[in-house]
Amino acid sequence: MSASDTKTKWKPVAVAAALCAGLGVLAWPSLRAQAALVQTQAPATTAAPAAALPAAPPQGAQAAQNAPMSSVVLPNFADLAQRVGPSVVNIRTLIKRPAGSDDADGGAAIDDQMRELFRQFGIPLPDAPRQQPRRRSKPDGDSDAQEVPSAIGSGFILSASGEVLTNAHVVDGASEVIVTLTDHREFKAKVLGVDKRTDVALLKIDASGLTPISVGDSNRIRVGEWVMAIGSPFGLDNTVTAGIVSAIKRDTGDFLPLIQTDVAINPGNSGGPLINTAGQVVGINSQIYSRSGGFMGISFSIPIDEAIRVANQLRANGRVIRSRIGVEIGPVSSDVAKSMGLPPGNTGAIVQKVEPGSPAAKAGLQPGDIITRVDGVSVVRSGDLPRLISSIQPGTATTLGILRNGKAQDLRVVVVELKDDSATAGKDGGSAPSDKGSSGITTPLGATVADLSDSDRKQLELDGGAKVLRATGRASRAGLRGGDVVLALNNVRIQSAAQFAQVAKELPANRAVTALVRRGDWVNYIVIPPGQ
């Protein structure tokens, strides 16, 4: 997909520098001018700074929380940048390419393009020597491999022993990783571990005199809180940008809920820290939301609490050990949640498929069950379930709170290690039951249904249900269609077409009806609206 494609894309911020064509340079107003414009905005509460760093300025968020609105001032980003800057590093990577390949000097070509672009806009660049491909000899003496620049990113020093935290996509596929400190010292880094699911990587450099960053609590950040980012956008080391937290626990389809901010993040910022007003890291800058490939006012960071948990496993095992139970799940719509009596805001996750022989199957979990809790922790959204399950040690027995046919119950399941994505990959679709030789029973819901044949029951591994031959009126508007199998109506299990027709007849026409439907290999709830 080209950079000119107008469709919205999620992009790691370590995208190719060539996507910057058309870059504009905007000057931020002075801090005094900003204060005049936003003097009614108060920074949000943050954690107290660690003892390793000097105390936060007295105008910090904690002091401002109870202050009159007219006396609130902006955080001193200059002091924050001075304190945290030495903990931030520049990361560049090299990859091996065959000599004479078409893109063997792609990194240098992109570098030239960016330098020309910056010259056009009058942006000064440091006089850095151009990185030439470095030729490496094979063991047999045939020198036909060379290392070329691959990517530029950021990171931060996690410990005095030389551990550096960054994004997985910054070092992905690199043959060599070079870390540059703010005092211009350079070190070859060892990659201790990479976790692509969370986009976190842990590096190690052999250096002394390091300044570790102070780690904050990402669970305490609030929407509207001031935050700052430090990184190397387009290779410009220790660039500082600032903004506010726009949203928390933003689900973008990744394995983790992310922190959304309006802090300017660009290619090269990947892996850099997101800093609160106490000078503590609360996130790792990782993604941008963009239609063009450049910054558009929305950026995302990995919560530092989750990143530290991943780093601890990478340090100990070189990889992250996760668990699974063997189900495929989907979201529960607000209409279904309301009809099932779920509390507002807690929709849970519907089980759409249970893997044969899996821990879920052994525990008795069934398609159509709604998982609402894991060891007492609420499953607010469907995306919460894999995050909760994966954090449990393999072999541990855990309690799932479920809703089955409108009734709450608990199931004990022993989680197992998640070996590979393919182990849980689902198959969409599946064969629909045959409706040959049946005229069916027409019901008040607008669905014409028939009994499942013996071959249908065997093929779908069902012991009951009513297959839909045609859907009109209310049923059609709800999305019911021929080939579907209705397993339950308003939490009443359906064994036959006659039972379906009888239950449908007794339901009031002025109320919505919840139906549990099997379509191919998937199970989900739909709500049939009132009316004719």
Side-chain angles (χ1 to χ4, degrees):
M1 184 174 291
S2 69
S4 61
D5 195 327
T6 57
K7 291 184 179 180
T8 300
K9 302 177 284 296
W10 295 104
K11 285 189 172 292
V13 294
V15 294
L19 291 175
C20 315
L23 173 70
V25 181
L26 300 178
W28 277 58
S30 67
L31 196 60
R32 184 184 301 275
Q34 290 183 60
L37 289 173
V38 293
Q39 60 179 335
T40 58
Q41 295 183 1
T45 303
T46 58
L53 290 176
Q59 67 268 31
Q62 191 68 39
Q65 186 175 20
N66 299 319
M69 296 298 287
S70 59
S71 65
V72 173
V73 295
L74 292 179
N76 192 332
F77 293 120
D79 287 349
L80 291 177
Q82 186 176 5
R83 293 164 57 206
V84 181
S87 302
V88 183
V89 302
N90 170 272
I91 297 175
R92 71 178 192 271
T93 62
L94 304 175
I95 58 173
K96 290 182 178 179
R97 295 204 187 280
S101 63
D102 291 340
D103 56 353
D105 62 346
I110 290 176
D111 182 65
D112 287 341
Q113 293 171 13
M114 290 309 304
R115 286 179 177 274
E116 177 60 29
L117 182 63
F118 285 142
R119 280 195 294 269
Q120 291 175 7
F121 283 98
I123 304 175
L125 286 176
D127 293 328
R130 174 172 168 173
Q131 291 177 296
Q132 297 289 347
R134 296 193 294 176
R135 192 173 297 276
R136 295 291 181 90
S137 298
K138 282 186 171 183
D140 59 5
D142 182 15
S143 178
D144 65 349
Q146 57 187 7
E147 287 186 326
V148 298
S150 171
I152 294 176
S154 307
F156 53 91
I157 300 169
L158 192 61
S159 67
S161 62
E163 290 180 336
V164 174
L165 209 56
T166 186
N167 282 148
H169 73 257
V170 170
V171 299
D172 186 30
S175 60
E176 189 171 304
V177 180
I178 301 172
V179 172
T180 305
L181 308 183
T182 54
D183 59 9
H184 306 298
R185 288 185 293 165
E186 288 190 351
F187 301 90
K188 290 183 181 179
K190 178 183 179 181
V191 179
L192 297 182
V194 172
D195 183 52
K196 292 184 179 180
R197 282 177 174 265
T198 54
D199 197 18
V200 172
L202 184 65
L203 314 179
K204 179 73 164 60
I205 59 175
D206 186 11
S208 60
L210 300 176
T211 305
I213 204 164
S214 178
V215 177
D217 184 354
S218 53
N219 292 314
R220 297 182 61 186
I221 64 174
R222 300 168 60 197
V223 173
E225 177 178 345
W226 284 99
V227 284
M228 180 183 74
I230 307 180
S232 302
F234 310 116
L236 300 171
D237 296 357
N238 276 78
T239 296
V240 177
T241 55
I244 63 169
V245 174
S246 304
I248 58 175
K249 297 184 178 180
R250 183 70 79 191
D251 195 340
T252 63
D254 294 319
F255 201 76
L256 293 175
L258 302 179
I259 303 167
Q260 179 185 333
T261 74
D262 69 350
V263 179
I265 299 297
N266 283 291
N269 276 114
S270 281
L274 185 71
I275 307 295
N276 64 15
T277 54
Q280 301 166 323
V281 57
V282 292
I284 304 177
N285 300 316
S286 177
Q287 297 180 11
I288 58 174
Y289 176 91
S290 178
R291 296 178 184 270
S292 63
F295 176 67
M296 295 184 67
I298 298 178
S299 53
F300 297 92
S301 303
I302 302 164
I304 193 62
D305 295 38
E306 301 288 352
I308 291 298
R309 276 193 281 270
V310 170
N312 290 339
Q313 289 210 48
L314 293 178
R315 183 187 301 111
N317 310 309
R319 65 187 182 95
V320 177
I321 299 174
R322 294 186 172 90
S323 296
R324 61 185 292 263
I325 59 174
V327 295
E328 294 178 14
I329 59 172
V332 180
S333 69
S334 57
D335 289 340
V336 171
K338 183 178 180 180
S339 67
M340 300 292 288
L342 290 169
N346 286 40
T347 58
I350 181 174
V351 177
Q352 295 180 319
K353 185 178 180 181
V354 178
E355 181 185 325
S358 66
K362 294 175 182 178
L365 209 60
Q366 300 176 4
D369 290 344
I370 297 178
I371 301 177
T372 58
R373 299 184 317 280
V374 176
D375 279 338
V377 179
S378 295
V379 178
V380 179
R381 296 177 297 272
S382 59
D384 294 338
L385 183 64
R387 295 165 189 150
L388 291 170
I389 294 295
S390 68
S391 64
I392 301 172
Q393 185 70 20
T396 303
T398 187
T399 301
L400 301 181
I402 69 169
L403 199 63
R404 177 181 295 171
N405 298 330
K407 297 180 180 178
Q409 57 180 285
D410 290 336
L411 293 179
R412 294 283 287 176
V413 58
V414 179
V415 301
V416 296
E417 184 177 349
L418 174 62
K419 295 290 187 180
D420 188 88
D421 288 345
S422 60
T424 57
K427 296 181 180 179
D428 198 1
S431 299
S434 171
D435 60 358
K436 292 181 179 179
S438 176
S439 59
I441 304 173
T442 302
T443 69
L445 297 178
T448 301
V449 297
D451 289 332
L452 292 171
S453 65
D454 290 341
S455 61
D456 290 339
R457 292 174 185 269
K458 182 177 180 180
Q459 175 186 336
L460 299 175
E461 299 180 345
L462 294 174
D463 57 5
K467 64 181 178 182
V468 178
L469 305 183
R470 292 174 297 280
T472 61
R474 299 170 61 187
S476 178
R477 292 194 297 272
L480 208 63
R481 67 190 190 196
D484 290 345
V485 177
V486 179
L487 304 177
L489 276 180
N490 272 17
N491 297 320
V492 176
R493 281 282 171 176
I494 300 300
Q495 298 296 324
S496 65
Q499 185 190 9
F500 180 102
Q502 183 62 35
V503 173
K505 182 179 179 181
E506 296 173 356
L507 294 173
N510 61 347
R511 291 186 182 179
V513 178
T514 304
L516 180 61
V517 178
R518 167 85 175 263
R519 179 174 294 167
D521 288 337
W522 295 86
V523 173
N524 210 343
Y525 281 99
I526 67 171
V527 176
I528 301 175
Q532 298 299 322

